[in-house]
Amino acid sequence: MINEETDRLLERFISQIRTLNLNVDQLLKAQNKTYDDLLNDHKAIAEKNIKSEFILMEVVKDQKLEATEEEINDFVKNLGDENLANRLLSTDEKWYVKGVIEKNKAIEYLKSLVVFKESAKEEKAAESKEEINEEK
């Protein structure tokens, strides 16, 4: 799984480099890197991507964050491409859209659990102010 993700990331990277009319070997030389370095960098990214995928899938399962048919249809309609929408709504592709929606729900759920430092500082300051007022 990690090797497949690494290959996918490398292919995309090399394609982007070629789109910019750059040579991969020259780029590596300019960065003082080898192809093995490039491979290892992308392997580390692939590992993080896969770990993130598994974590999000567990959150989806644990929190029962399923995508409804209505959400799937709305998501596809909002893409603005009728041909793409028809393809994505076919039974073979629908699982992909469902997964995207569910992972987005998992991310929103996780974001809702985060307490930002500034908010925490403001709450603490307000509590201190209340305590001072109560002492008076």
Side-chain angles (χ1 to χ4, degrees):
M1 189 179 270
I2 291 172
N3 289 338
E4 289 172 4
E5 178 69 1
T6 302
D7 289 345
R8 188 187 67 75
L9 290 171
L10 272 173
E11 285 175 19
R12 193 167 99 210
F13 175 76
I14 291 170
S15 175
Q16 289 172 340
I17 295 302
R18 288 182 178 153
T19 300
L20 297 171
N21 293 323
L22 298 174
N23 180 298
V24 176
D25 293 328
Q26 290 173 335
L27 180 67
L28 290 173
K29 189 175 182 180
Q31 292 181 342
N32 210 16
K33 289 189 172 197
T34 65
Y35 186 78
D36 285 340
D37 294 333
L38 182 66
L39 183 64
N40 289 332
D41 291 348
H42 282 79
K43 186 174 184 175
I45 295 168
E47 288 174 358
K48 287 179 184 177
N49 288 353
I50 290 171
K51 286 177 185 177
S52 297
E53 258 326 282
F54 281 124
I55 290 169
L56 290 175
M57 287 175 10
E58 281 301 309
V59 172
V60 166
K61 190 169 96 177
D62 186 55
Q63 297 300 312
K64 298 175 177 76
L65 302 172
E66 293 188 25
T68 65
E69 283 295 317
E70 183 179 351
E71 289 171 323
I72 293 169
N73 290 330
D74 288 346
F75 180 88
V76 170
K77 284 179 191 173
N78 289 330
L79 294 174
D81 182 334
E82 192 174 331
N83 290 330
L84 178 61
N86 290 333
R87 194 180 86 219
L88 290 175
L89 287 175
S90 73
T91 54
D92 294 339
E93 301 286 338
K94 203 176 209 178
W95 66 269
Y96 175 78
V97 175
K98 184 178 187 299
V100 169
I101 293 168
E102 290 172 350
K103 284 183 262 183
N104 284 339
K105 285 183 173 188
I107 291 168
E108 289 304 315
Y109 169 76
L110 293 172
K111 283 172 42 180
S112 75
L113 300 177
V114 176
V115 176
F116 293 99
K117 288 182 180 181
E118 288 183 29
S119 298
K121 286 180 186 177
E122 291 171 4
E123 287 178 25
K124 201 169 199 175
E127 288 173 6
S128 296
K129 193 174 182 180
E130 286 178 24
E131 287 174 4
I132 292 172
N133 287 339
E134 288 175 3
E135 291 175 1
K136 290 182 181 179

